[in-house]
Every structure is written in structure tokens, then in C-alpha cells.
């Protein structure tokens, strides 16, 4: 068979890549082999444009058990407890088919976690949509949210928060990033590395269909006006089968039957079998005639490339098949021995007693092209906004416009669709800086936060990369947690364009600096390139999912104000950086200028100081200052508790607009008892931490002295009105 140029192109391969394939095989590939190479060599599976840069990120420290390279990262939280977590994208599928794309994104990330032997305990997400004025946004938003909730609620894992943002840059390329967190005994972690020869390779779970074929390849290509035609590449999920698969796998994991286990995710049976064999430096031989199929006359090509959901691949120890099958029979799931491990270092596929593929494992896993793409240094705007031009706006009006904007409005209309308390270990739900989940039957908990900041990354990718790591760090500290590690999902446009590749490289450099300085390693993650339609790409959008530890449940705090007559202290200096702020964007549609400076020393020192005050029981509530600046963050604290604040005007020579809406980094707001003021100020001064009393808590009025006053209920109403207006649009 001669493979044509059209076939090569249709499989997302370049002609020079196919030439390399023929050299590795010593012959022309057949169609099955072409499909397998296409799956393993695409961007989504091989990381061919990103791998050399991802290696720069810090991935180890004394608590990291497993870093990048497995299904998910694993960290040690003491007492033989470990946390398994990862975030991953399902962007392209969710745009084509919002409900199933989002649902199967949740299902896939859950399997990544329980494949490691962990019981999933929480889900989070970061979702980005186009302008609310775009005609597609409403349906995409409602479909994605329904898909996330529908799958998570049905499988019985709490979805405890995340973020939802809007910008025209996502009009044709929405982002759906799903994060899952699991708990496991650190001595009972399972890995995907194959071991031993003539060991049974077992297919378990749901049957294989024609859904999802070329899903990984589709995720490695730009969209165009024909994207709707790609619906067959979107997988169809069944959360109830996922629940059965979860319980069956965890039950089997209680004994020593499993040598290795791998989720059938992107590229399905192809990637799972190749990855297991590659890690173990073994071969694998499969009889595709034995694969359970739900559709008639499926070809070897379709079987190997299907991305049907709720499937796993196991390698079992000798004579363990019968006992294992009984477990899967009990849970009404398929269990079929479809092959064996070999010492050939080759992937050999048979179908109807004929060999249909024979490929060196190294050719698929190790010989995929690695590109050191050309990249261009980003041009950073130096334009400074002159405050006098903004004097015409009233502070109250500016605040209300921010609070009622799509990005800053109350998102409970989303999170109310998620079951946040199933499993009964959710201590703190969405709506705060971080969610908090108790480790079952223990007196400790973990904090989870997901964050992104595309506007900062667009303005200055390196600074934006630093900032998003630091914001995640602050969100964990703000609930009293010690930050431990992160996972990332890096969403960018076409890496073959030097400008886009430059944004990626510089974001990585910024993340590296922040992670190293804060001892905040990256233990897992995902890269999503080619988020473009008709050559128009998204803003660079790295998403960070962070985990923090609370050793004592009584040390958990939140942003809700606790009592009248207490004081609010700001930790960290306010300079008044207004460029790239929500104030400018929401009030004046100005997107120019540099992002705020990131001082890593201040970030670390301020954060550790706040954490110590919390652990010493000196903080009543806390909240980091981020998008919208100090006044927006104060309003959020007030609305969360429905308690008022009297805010002092700035004492120093700084403009009120800059003071209240500037987005200087590394700052926190803490509520303290008046009686502890001197003690706290003394402790902070001893550690050279800048602090200032800026407000006091009062009944139901939110006011800035001599400027404006408003009822907290009116603030709340302003913050809650956007979605109702938006969803009424037809």
C-alpha cells in the first residue's frame, strides 16, 4: 500500500515526518500504522513543541513522590497520606460539542487520578468563554457548565469551585480545563510502567465504539469554518459506568494483582499500550479481535484510535486473571485478556489471525520529532496611564461597574449546579480564595485553588507567568494553608508562529522563577496548543491548580468578616499600579500598558507572615488582593459576610483611583481584633513587613469616608445581576 500525501496531511503529519516514519520502519507504513504514528506523534501526545521548555520547570522537592511523566503528580502530606492531582484541557471537544466535551474532560481527569490508586475527593475547573455579546457564548457556557455538573454529580465527586472568565479572544476557541484531586496511602500508589514478559494485558471497562477517533489529532490542529464537521471526534461519556470502573479498580488494587495500569485517554488503546511498554522497555502484542466493541465491523484502525470513555488497560501478575475478572463481573464491566507483554520492544497487532501492525516501541515513544521552534521576544508596552484623565469617574460608579461585570460578578449560578458536598468532606465550598477538603477521618485538610490571568500574560508573558503562580500561592495562604505544589494547564495558540512560541517560552521562564523561589514545584500538567481559528489565536492563558496543607482543622479561615468594630489591615505596599487593571478594562475598555511588577521576595515574606498570624490565631478573616484592586477585594469580603466596612481614605500622597483600584501584587487583607493590633503590628515590623490599618468593620453600610456610602445589600445585588440579564438574551 502506498500512503498518499493527502492521507499524510489528513493525519496531521508533515511530509518530512512521514519520511522519518518510513526510515524507522524500513518500509512504507500501512494505514493502521499511519494512524498509530499520527496519534503518538501529534502535539497533544508527544509535546513535540513544548518538551524542551517544560524541562526548565522545577519538579522536585522533599514532598514530591511523583512528578511529571505519570498519569498525575503525587505529593506527600504526612502520616502516610499522599495527594494525587492533575489539571488537563478539553478545549477543542468542548467547543464542538459543549456538553459531552466538558463531561468527558471531567471523566478523563478523574481516571488519571484513580489510575494511580487514589480515590478522587474533589474536582475544580477553569473555563474561559468569548464575549457575552458573541452569539455562541450563551449556548457554549450553559452546555459546558451542564456537562461539568452532569458528570461530576453523577459519579459522586464534589466539584468545589474554579473560575469562569470572558473575553473576545475566546470567541472561537473556548477553554475548558478540568482538575481532579485524589487521596491515597503513599505506600499503595500504582504506576503505568510495564514489568515482566508474558504477562497478561487486560482490557477493562466500557466497550469500544467509533466516538473520539482522531480526537488527539484534532486537539493538535487549528480550527476553521468546518470545525462543526469534527463532532464525531468528540467522545461520549457515561458517568455511571465511570463510577463502576472507579470502584472496581480500587477494589482490585487492594491486593497485589496489578503490575501496571493506564487510562485509555487521548489516542485510546494506542497511547495506553505504547506508554506502558515504553516505560518498561518491553514489547506488547495485542489481539484486536478480542477487544469488546459496541459497534459492528470495527476495523483495527478504528479500534486502536477510538477514544471511547471509561476504559483502562491493566497488566496483571501471573494467575491473577480469574480473581480479577470476578471483581469486574461483579461491577458489570468488561474484562478481557487482549494480549501479553513481550521482550521484543515492538508493538505487534493481530486481527482475525493476521498481523496488521508491527512497529518498534521506541519509534513511537522516543523518536517522535522534538522541535526547538523559533520564538520572538514579546514587545512590552511601556505606556503609563495618566490618572488625571480618569478623574471624571466616581469611585462608587467604578466599583459597581467592576462588581457587575461578567468576570467579577457572582458565579453562584454556576457553582449551584455542582454538588459541592457529596462525600461529606467539603469544609469550604466555592466562592472564597480556595476550597478546603478534609482528609477523611483525619484532623487535617487540603486547600485547592485554580487561577489564570491572561491579560497580564498577554501584556508581559514572563511577568504574567510569575504572577499566576504567586496568585495561586496567595489564595492558598488566605485560607490558612501552607502551599505545597502545583499542576498547570498551558493554553496557547499556534506554536509554529514565533510570536506565540515566544509567549509560551517567556511564560515558562516566569513560572520557573516563581516556583523555584517559593519552593512550589510543578508535579503534573498539560499543554494545549493550536487554540486558533482561521489563524486568530487566544491570549496566552496558563492555568495553575495549587494544593496547600492545613494540619489542623481549627486553623481554617475564610474571607467572611466576623464581627463589628474589628479592624482591616493591608499587608504589603500599595503603589497604585493601574495599567492592565480591571478598573481600566471595565470602565474605559483600556487594555494597554505593562502589568504590575512581581517582587518574589515580598511575595514570599508577606505570605509567610500572614500564614504565621493565622496559625497564631491572630486573624479573623483574610483575602488576597487581586483583580479589581483593594476596593474590589474589600467589597468581596463585605458581600461574603453581608457586613459593612468603613474604609479610610489614603493618608499618603497617592491618587484615590490608583490606591483603591491599583493591582499591586503580594498584598493581603486581614481582619483582626482591635485588642491584638499592637501585637500584630509589632510582629510585622520585626519582620520588615509593611502593614497599614485601612478600615473598620461596621453593620450594613459599605463606605469610603467622605466619598460614598452604599448598603451592603445593594453591593450584593449589583454583583448578582449580570447572569440573569445575560441568560435572558435569546
Amino acid at each position: 500500500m502506498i500512503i498518499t500525501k493527502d492521507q499524510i496531511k489528513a493525519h496531521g503529519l508533515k511530509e518530512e515526518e512521514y519520511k522519518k516514519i518510513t526510515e524507522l520502519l524500513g518500509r512504507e507504513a500501512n494505514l493502521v500504522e499511519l494512524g498509530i504514528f499520527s496519534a503518538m506523534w501529534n502535539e497533544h501526545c508527544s509535546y513535540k513543541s513544548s518538551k524542551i521548555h517544560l524541562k526548565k520547570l522545577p519538579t522536585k522537592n522533599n514532598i514530591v513522590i511523583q512528578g511529571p511523566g505519570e498519569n498525575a503528580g503525587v505529593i506527600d502530606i504526612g502520616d502516610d497520606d499522599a495527594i494525587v492531582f492533575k489539571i488537563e484541557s478539553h478545549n477543542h471537544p468542548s467547543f464542538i460539542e459543549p456538553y459531552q466535551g466538558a463531561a468527558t474532560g471531567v471523566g478523563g481527569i478523574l481516571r488519571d487520578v484513580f489510575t494511580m490508586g487514589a480515590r478522587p475527593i474533589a474536582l475544580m475547573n477553569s473555563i474561559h468563554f468569548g464575549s457575552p455579546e458573541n452569539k455562541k457564548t450563551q449556548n457554549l457556557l450553559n452546555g459546558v457548565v451542564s456537562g461539568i455538573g452532569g458528570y461530576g454529580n453523577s459519579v459522586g465527586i464534589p466539584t468545589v469551585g474554579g473560575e469562569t472568565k470572558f473575553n473576545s479572544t475566546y470567541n472561537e476557541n473556548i477553554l475548558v480545563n478540568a482538575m481532579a484531586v485524589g487521596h491515597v496511602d503513599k505506600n499503595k500508589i500504582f504506576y503505568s510502567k510495564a514489568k515482566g514478559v508474558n504477562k497478561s494485558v487486560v482490557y477493562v471497562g466500557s466497550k469500544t465504539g467509533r466516538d473520539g477517533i482522531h480526537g488527539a489529532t484534532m486537539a493538535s490542529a487549528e480550527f476553521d469554518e468546518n470545525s462543526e464537521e469534527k463532532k464525531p471526534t468528540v467522545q461520549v461519556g457515561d458517568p455511571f459506568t465511570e463510577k463502576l470502573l472507579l470502584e472496581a479498580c480500587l477494589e482490585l488494587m487492594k491486593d497485589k494483582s496489578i503490575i501496571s495500569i493506564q487510562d485509555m485517554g487521548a489516542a485510546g488503546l494506542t497511547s495506553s499500550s505504547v506508554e506502558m511498554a515504553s516505560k518498561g522497555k518491553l514489547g506488547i502484542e495485542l489481539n484486536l479481535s478480542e477487544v469488546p466493541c459496541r459497534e459492528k465491523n470495527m476495523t483495527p484502525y478504528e479500534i486502536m484510535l477510538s477514544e471511547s470513555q471509561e476504559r483502562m488497560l491493566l497488566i496483571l501478575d501471573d494467575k491473577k486473571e480469574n480473581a480479577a475478572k470476578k471483581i469486574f463481573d461483579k461491577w458489570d464491566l468488561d474484562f478481557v485478556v487482549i494480549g501479553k507483554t513481550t521482550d521484543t520492544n515492538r508493538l505487534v497487532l493481530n486481527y482475525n489471525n493476521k498481523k496488521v501492525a508491527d512497529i518498534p516501541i521506541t519509534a513511537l515513544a522516543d523518536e517522535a520529532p522534538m522541535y526547538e521552534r523559533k520564538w520572538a521576544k514579546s514587545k512590552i508596552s511601556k505606556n503609563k496611564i495618566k490618572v488625571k484623565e480618569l478623574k471624571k469617574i466616581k469611585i462608587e460608579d467604578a466599583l459597581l461597574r467592576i462588581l457587575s461585570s461578567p468576570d467579577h460578578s457572582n458565579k453562584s449560578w454556576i457553582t449551584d449546579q455542582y454538588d459541592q458536598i457529596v462525600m461529606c468532606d467539603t469544609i469550604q465550598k466555592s466562592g472564597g480564595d480556595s476550597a478546603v477538603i478534609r482528609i477523611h477521618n483525619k484532623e487535617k485538610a487540603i486547600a485547592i485553588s485554580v487561577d489564570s490571568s491572561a491579560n497580564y500574560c498577554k501584556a508581559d508573558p514572563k511577568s504574567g507567568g510569575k504572577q499566576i503562580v504567586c496568585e495561586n500561592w496567595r489564595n492558598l495562604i488566605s485560607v490558612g494553608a501552607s502551599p505545597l505544589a502545583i499542576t498547570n494547564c498551558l493554553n496557547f495558540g499556534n506554536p509554529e508562529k514565533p510570536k506565540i512560541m515566544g509567549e509560551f517560552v517567556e511564560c515558562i521562564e516566569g513560572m520557573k522563577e516563581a516556583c523555584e523561589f517559593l519552593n512550589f514545584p510543578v508535579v503534573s500538567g498539560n499543554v494545549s496548543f493550536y487554540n486558533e481559528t482561521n489563524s486568530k489565536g487566544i491570549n496566552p492563558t496558563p492555568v495553575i491548580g495549587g494544593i496547600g496543607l492545613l494540619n489542623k482543622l481549627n486553623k481554617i479561615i475564610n474571607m467572611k468578616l466576623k464581627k463589628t468594630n474589628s479592624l482591616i489591615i493591608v499587608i504589603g505596599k500599595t503603589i497604585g499600579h493601574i495599567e492592565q487593571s480591571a478598573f481600566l478594562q471595565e470602565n474605559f475598555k483600556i487594555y494597554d500598558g505593562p502589568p504590575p511588577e512581581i517582587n518574589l521576595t515580598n511575595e514570599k515574606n508577606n505570605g509567610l507572615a500572614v500564614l504565621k498570624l493565622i496559625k497564631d490565631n491572630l486573624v479573623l478573616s483574610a483575602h488576597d488582593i487581586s483583580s479589581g484592586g483593594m476596593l474590589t477585594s474589600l467589597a468581596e469580603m463585605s458581600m461574603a459576610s453581608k457586613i459593612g466596612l468603613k474604609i479610610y481614605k489614603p493618608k499618603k500622597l497617592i491618587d484615590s483611583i490608583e490606591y483603591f483600584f491599583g493591582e499591586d501584587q503580594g498584598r493581603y487583607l486581614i481582619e483582626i481584633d482591635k485588642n491584638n493590633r499592637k501585637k500584630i503590628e509589632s510582629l510585622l515590623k520585626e519582620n520588615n513587613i509593611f502593614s497599614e490599618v485601612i478600615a473598620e468593620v461596621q453593620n450594613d453600610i459599605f463606605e469610603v469616608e467622605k466619598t460614598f456610602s452604599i448598603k451592603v445589600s445593594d453591593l450584593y445585588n449589583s454583583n448578582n445581576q449580570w447572569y440573569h440579564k445575560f441568560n435572558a438574551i435569546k
Side-chain angles (χ1 to χ4, degrees):
M1 174 183 180
I2 303 297
I3 299 294
T4 67
K5 290 183 179 180
D6 287 344
Q7 286 175 314
I8 295 168
K9 185 179 179 181
H11 282 79
L13 293 166
K14 301 184 184 300
E15 288 186 35
E16 59 268 26
E17 291 176 337
Y18 182 70
K19 183 180 178 181
K20 183 177 180 181
I21 290 169
T22 60
E23 290 172 355
L24 290 167
L25 291 174
R27 56 176 171 82
E28 289 275 342
N30 61 39
L31 188 60
V32 176
E33 292 167 335
L34 180 67
I36 290 169
F37 271 104
S38 167
M40 295 304 298
W41 281 23
N42 65 52
E43 193 74 57
H44 190 78
C45 293
S46 73
Y47 292 82
K48 58 189 177 184
S49 298
S50 60
K51 188 174 284 186
I52 62 171
H53 300 289
L54 293 173
K55 290 179 179 178
K56 302 172 186 175
L57 294 170
T59 59
K60 298 178 181 179
N61 68 7
N62 63 330
I63 65 158
V64 176
I65 297 173
Q66 175 64 54
E70 268 292 344
N71 289 290
V74 188
I75 57 174
D76 189 340
I77 62 168
D79 308 310
D80 290 333
D81 294 310
I83 295 296
V84 179
F85 66 109
K86 187 182 181 183
I87 191 169
E88 200 161 54
S89 64
H90 227 222
N91 302 335
H92 285 44
S94 299
F95 181 79
I96 295 170
E97 216 304 303
Y99 185 95
Q100 288 296 347
T104 52
V106 173
I109 200 65
L110 283 173
R111 290 193 299 279
D112 281 340
V113 166
F114 73 76
T115 299
M116 304 288 295
R119 178 170 291 280
I121 58 174
L123 290 161
M124 292 193 100
N125 56 75
S126 173
I127 51 181
H128 292 66
F129 299 91
S131 166
E133 287 75 34
N134 184 277
K135 62 182 181 180
K136 295 181 181 179
T137 297
Q138 188 181 46
N139 286 336
L140 288 168
L141 172 65
N142 290 332
V144 165
V145 170
S146 295
I148 291 170
Y151 203 100
N153 295 353
S154 298
V155 82
I157 309 298
T159 302
V160 292
E163 60 172 9
T164 305
K165 295 186 176 182
F166 301 85
N167 190 288
S168 60
T169 187
Y170 309 109
N171 278 353
E172 302 297 328
N173 290 272
I174 66 172
L175 303 182
V176 178
N177 294 179
M179 179 179 176
V181 182
H183 171 237
V184 67
D185 185 319
K186 75 174 185 180
N187 302 306
K188 297 179 181 178
I189 299 167
F190 288 79
Y191 299 94
S192 59
K193 181 180 178 180
K195 296 178 184 177
V197 176
N198 287 321
K199 304 297 184 183
S200 294
V201 177
V202 184
Y203 175 116
V204 300
S206 193
K207 289 180 171 41
T208 295
R210 290 187 170 94
D211 55 317
I213 294 173
H214 291 305
T217 303
M218 179 265 292
S220 305
E222 290 185 23
F223 278 167
D224 55 30
E225 61 275 358
N226 300 315
S227 296
E228 289 291 320
E229 298 174 4
K230 297 179 179 179
K231 280 193 176 182
T233 63
V234 179
Q235 310 92 330
V236 178
D238 179 355
F240 300 105
T241 300
E242 179 101 340
K243 175 64 174 174
L244 299 177
L245 183 61
L246 161 66
E247 297 300 339
C249 287
L250 293 182
E251 184 175 342
L252 183 59
M253 288 169 172
K254 290 178 181 178
D255 65 24
K256 297 181 179 180
S257 301
I258 299 175
I259 295 173
S260 65
I261 180 169
Q262 178 69 44
D263 162 42
M264 291 193 216
L269 187 53
T270 291
S271 63
S272 56
S273 56
V274 170
E275 288 172 11
M276 293 171 90
S278 173
K279 290 174 182 176
K281 300 187 184 307
L282 293 171
I284 197 162
E285 185 172 342
L286 302 178
N287 181 4
L288 301 184
S289 302
E290 296 296 323
V291 173
C293 295
R294 64 170 181 260
E295 299 182 54
K296 293 182 179 179
N297 302 318
M298 288 190 67
T299 66
Y301 181 97
E302 293 170 327
I303 292 169
M304 288 302 293
L305 296 182
S306 167
E307 294 185 8
S308 295
Q309 297 291 284
E310 296 86 39
R311 303 179 300 158
M312 307 284 268
L313 201 63
L314 313 178
I315 296 177
L316 295 183
D317 210 349
D318 296 336
K319 300 179 181 180
K320 298 290 186 178
E321 295 89 350
N322 290 337
K325 187 175 187 304
K326 287 180 181 179
I327 292 173
F328 284 84
D329 286 347
K330 182 183 77 171
W331 291 100
D332 198 24
L333 295 166
D334 281 304
F335 178 102
V336 184
V337 177
I338 63 168
K340 63 182 180 180
T341 58
T342 69
D343 60 1
T344 65
N345 291 106
R346 302 184 75 84
L347 174 69
V348 177
L349 305 178
N350 300 299
Y351 183 73
N352 289 343
N353 297 315
K354 293 181 180 179
K355 186 185 292 185
V356 294
D358 187 348
I359 309 171
I361 292 289
T362 54
L364 295 169
D366 302 327
E367 298 292 339
M370 290 291 115
Y371 295 122
E372 193 164 355
R373 305 275 191 197
K374 292 182 179 178
W375 62 277
K377 194 170 179 63
S378 302
K379 295 179 181 178
I380 313 303
S381 173
K382 303 292 185 182
N383 295 339
K384 300 293 286 184
I385 306 300
K386 296 180 180 178
V387 176
K388 64 181 182 181
E389 298 172 5
L390 311 177
K391 289 288 190 181
K392 60 184 179 181
I393 194 166
K394 293 180 179 178
I395 290 176
E396 179 183 2
D397 294 343
L399 174 64
L400 292 176
R401 194 167 285 118
I402 292 170
L403 293 179
S404 62
S405 68
D407 278 5
H408 296 84
S409 64
N410 189 321
K411 300 299 190 303
S412 60
W413 52 271
I414 290 178
T415 55
D416 285 350
Q417 297 180 56
Y418 306 150
D419 189 337
Q420 299 190 60
I421 60 173
V422 64
M423 300 179 73
C424 301
D425 283 321
T426 305
I427 295 175
Q428 195 156 291
K429 300 188 294 183
S430 61
D433 291 299
S434 298
V436 180
I437 305 294
R438 183 183 67 161
I439 302 302
H440 195 64
N441 289 331
K442 301 283 182 77
E443 286 300 309
K444 62 183 178 183
I446 58 166
I448 316 167
S449 182
V450 170
D451 302 283
S452 67
S453 187
N455 60 319
Y456 288 174
C457 290
K458 180 67 175 175
D460 183 342
K462 184 175 180 179
S463 181
K466 288 184 196 177
Q467 187 275 337
I468 199 57
V469 171
C470 292
E471 182 171 345
N472 193 270
W473 161 275
R474 292 196 300 273
N475 281 333
L476 297 171
I477 284 175
S478 295
V479 299
S482 299
L484 297 181
I486 65 171
T487 180
N488 60 45
C489 192
L490 308 176
N491 306 277
F492 290 78
N494 187 343
E496 297 170 52
K497 297 178 179 178
K499 179 177 180 294
I500 303 300
M501 195 65 209
E503 292 173 343
F504 178 81
V505 172
E506 290 178 314
C507 267
I508 291 287
E509 289 175 354
M511 289 171 57
K512 171 183 179 291
E513 283 188 29
C515 288
E516 286 180 342
F517 196 91
L518 299 173
N519 192 22
F520 205 27
V522 181
V523 299
S524 60
N526 168 236
V527 177
S528 176
F529 278 136
Y530 296 99
N531 291 287
E532 293 200 6
T533 296
N534 293 325
S535 295
K536 186 177 181 179
I538 64 167
N539 286 342
T541 312
V543 176
I544 301 295
I547 299 291
L549 177 65
L550 297 116
N551 281 309
K552 295 183 179 179
L553 298 180
N554 62 358
K555 301 296 183 182
I556 301 168
I557 62 169
N558 55 38
M559 68 166 71
K560 294 181 179 180
L561 301 171
K562 299 301 184 293
K563 64 178 188 178
T564 56
N565 298 317
S566 60
L567 300 176
I568 304 295
I569 292 180
V570 62
I571 306 291
K573 285 187 179 180
T574 298
I575 298 173
H577 187 100
I578 205 72
E579 289 76 28
Q580 293 299 329
S581 66
F583 168 80
L584 286 180
Q585 293 171 11
E586 301 297 349
N587 288 282
F588 295 92
K589 307 301 179 188
I590 295 174
Y591 299 88
D592 199 13
E597 179 186 350
I598 308 297
N599 185 312
L600 293 174
T601 300
N602 288 344
E603 285 282 359
K604 188 173 186 176
N605 292 344
N606 293 351
L608 294 178
V610 171
L611 194 58
K612 187 175 187 314
L613 292 176
I614 293 171
K615 290 180 177 180
D616 289 345
N617 298 317
L618 295 171
V619 177
L620 300 174
S621 66
H623 188 26
D624 81 308
I625 300 176
S626 55
S627 180
M630 184 192 297
L631 195 61
T632 303
S633 297
L634 287 166
E636 289 167 349
M637 296 178 80
S638 193
M639 291 186 295
S641 54
K642 297 183 179 177
I643 299 176
L645 284 170
K646 182 179 181 180
I647 303 157
Y648 312 139
K649 291 197 73 173
K651 299 173 183 177
K652 298 181 180 178
L653 294 174
I654 181 172
D655 184 87
S656 292
I657 292 290
E658 291 178 317
Y659 179 78
F660 286 125
F661 297 107
E663 296 184 7
D664 308 297
Q665 299 294 289
R667 295 182 297 161
Y668 300 79
L669 297 168
I670 61 172
E671 179 191 7
I672 67 165
D673 190 295
K674 279 185 176 180
N675 296 324
N676 292 327
R677 176 177 179 175
K678 288 185 178 179
K679 182 179 181 180
I680 292 169
E681 289 179 336
S682 177
L683 287 169
L684 293 170
K685 190 175 180 180
E686 284 174 14
N687 290 281
N688 294 314
I689 305 297
F690 178 88
S691 69
E692 185 178 22
V693 176
I694 61 164
E696 57 187 276
V697 181
Q698 59 185 14
N699 288 322
D700 59 352
I701 300 297
F702 184 88
E703 65 178 311
V704 174
E705 59 178 5
K706 300 179 182 179
T707 304
F708 76 87
S709 71
I710 185 172
K711 289 183 178 179
V712 175
S713 58
D714 290 337
L715 273 184
Y716 184 85
N717 291 336
S718 178
N719 191 231
N720 278 269
Q721 66 184 4
W722 178 80
Y723 176 70
H724 301 291
K725 292 180 179 179
F726 172 69
N727 221 31
I729 299 170
K730 300 294 182 183

